[in-house]
Amino acid sequence: MACRISELVLDSREPERLAAFWCEVLGYVVLDRVDGSVEIGPKEGFGGLRPTIVFNPTDTPKAGRLPLHIDVNPTDRDQAAELDRLLSIGARHADVGQTGEESWHVLADPEGNEFCLLRRRLSG
C-alpha cells in the first residue's frame, strides 16, 4: 500500500457545532483547535487506522450536493436503532433521488452535508 487517508477536511460555517455532531456520531474526541478550525478523531489521535476530520471555518454557504460523502456503519446496534440515535442527535433525512428500496438511509448533518447509514454492522 502506498497511501491511506489520514484526514478528511470539510468547510463549515460552524466548525464547533459540526465537530460536536460528528464526535457524537463516530465516538471521536476533539484533538486540536487552530485558528477557528477543529480537528476530531479517535482518542488515540492522528496517525492511526481511522482518519481524523478537520472542520475549517468558512462563510460560504453549502451549494448543492457534496462531490464526496461519508458512509457510516453501526457498530453496537442494528441499523434501525442507529438511525434513531442519529436522528436524535441532529441528523435529518435527506432526499438525493433514492427510490426507497435502498438498504441504506441518506441523512444530512446539521449543515446539510449528506452521509449514508449503511445496514451492515462493523466491529467497533
Side-chain angles (χ1 to χ4, degrees):
M1 176 180 351
C3 292
R4 66 180 172 78
I5 295 172
S6 59
E7 290 181 332
L8 301 173
V9 180
L10 296 172
D11 288 344
S12 173
R13 291 184 313 277
E14 297 181 65
E16 290 287 344
R17 179 178 179 217
L18 215 51
F21 172 81
W22 282 101
C23 278
E24 191 71 25
V25 170
L26 299 170
Y28 275 17
V29 297
V30 173
L31 298 173
D32 201 11
R33 290 179 171 91
V34 177
D35 297 328
S37 293
V38 182
E39 182 174 15
I40 66 170
K43 291 178 181 104
E44 306 81 51
F46 178 83
L49 293 178
R50 298 186 295 163
T52 63
I53 304 174
V54 178
F55 299 99
N56 283 334
T58 184
D59 292 330
T60 306
K62 178 182 174 287
R65 288 177 55 193
L66 294 175
L68 175 76
H69 72 264
I70 296 171
D71 288 343
V72 298
N73 294 70
T75 59
D76 62 352
R77 61 196 64 153
D78 66 20
Q79 184 188 44
E82 184 62 2
L83 177 61
D84 289 342
R85 185 183 80 86
L86 294 174
L87 294 171
S88 76
I89 63 170
R92 61 186 186 278
H93 291 281
D95 183 358
V96 295
Q98 60 269 41
T99 66
E101 299 298 317
E102 294 82 5
S103 62
W104 61 88
H105 295 276
V106 181
L107 303 168
D109 70 18
E111 289 196 8
N113 301 305
E114 297 90 5
F115 68 100
C116 294
L117 171 62
L118 305 182
R119 178 180 297 166
R120 183 173 173 216
R121 185 186 296 187
L122 299 178
S123 65

